[in-house]
Amino acid sequence: QVQLKESGGGVVQAGGSLRLSCEVSGQTSDIAAMGWFRQPPGKDHEFVAALSWRRGSELYTADSVKGRFAISRDDAKDTLYLQMDNVRPEDTAVYYCTADTAGIFLPRLRGGNFWGQGTQVTVSV
């Protein structure tokens, strides 16, 4: 079992920066990939970024955030990050952390088998 807890969300001015964190606990050695998804108001879940947990390297980033957001891992603290720079009002969403121990995330980028509860990000104008 894997437990995930997001934090770092809040209100940020357009053009500003924010860093989201996902604390990972449990059977972390079984995790192959992790990532971030988001759900804007009234819209479906959408992919943001994916990372190889074992290598700590970025694998994929959505076109909508490419060049502005960066996914990374702090292995010593078992924490996943999403650095958000030059945020836009359309980035407003609930952001979710996901972990995959079953090999289901990367083939279709639909998430892993573990999810956090989400953290709200609101970009003001």
Side-chain angles (χ1 to χ4, degrees), residues 12-14 88-90 123-125:
V12 60
Q13 189 80 17
R88 305 167 180 170
E90 53 263 41
V123 181
S124 63
V125 297

Side-chain angles (χ1 to χ4, degrees), residues 43-83:
K43 296 184 178 181
D44 293 330
H45 242 212
E46 66 181 39
F47 169 77
V48 175
L51 167 145
S52 169
W53 180 253
R54 292 168 181 168
R55 293 182 57 86
S57 57
E58 177 190 3
L59 295 174
Y60 305 102
T61 305
D63 289 341
S64 59
V65 305
K66 193 172 297 181
R68 300 187 299 115
F69 293 4
I71 188 171
S72 63
R73 181 195 73 183
D74 184 342
D75 195 27
K77 296 184 177 181
D78 282 342
T79 303
L80 183 75
Y81 298 103
L82 184 68
Q83 179 65 45

Side-chain angles (χ1 to χ4, degrees), residues 15-115:
S17 297
L18 200 67
R19 189 180 74 169
L20 306 184
S21 299
C22 176
E23 182 179 330
V24 186
S25 60
Q27 302 302 120
T28 60
S29 61
D30 294 335
I31 299 173
M34 295 195 67
W36 292 93
F37 284 72
R38 67 185 184 184
Q39 186 168 22
K43 296 184 178 181
D44 293 330
H45 242 212
E46 66 181 39
F47 169 77
V48 175
L51 167 145
S52 169
W53 180 253
R54 292 168 181 168
R55 293 182 57 86
S57 57
E58 177 190 3
L59 295 174
Y60 305 102
T61 305
D63 289 341
S64 59
V65 305
K66 193 172 297 181
R68 300 187 299 115
F69 293 4
I71 188 171
S72 63
R73 181 195 73 183
D74 184 342
D75 195 27
K77 296 184 177 181
D78 282 342
T79 303
L80 183 75
Y81 298 103
L82 184 68
Q83 179 65 45
M84 307 168 61
D85 294 329
N86 192 25
V87 296
R88 305 167 180 170
E90 53 263 41
D91 295 323
T92 294
V94 178
Y95 284 73
Y96 297 91
C97 175
T98 187
D100 182 33
T101 66
I104 63 173
F105 182 13
L106 298 181
R108 292 189 287 181
L109 296 178
R110 295 179 65 180
N113 50 330
F114 296 98
W115 294 85

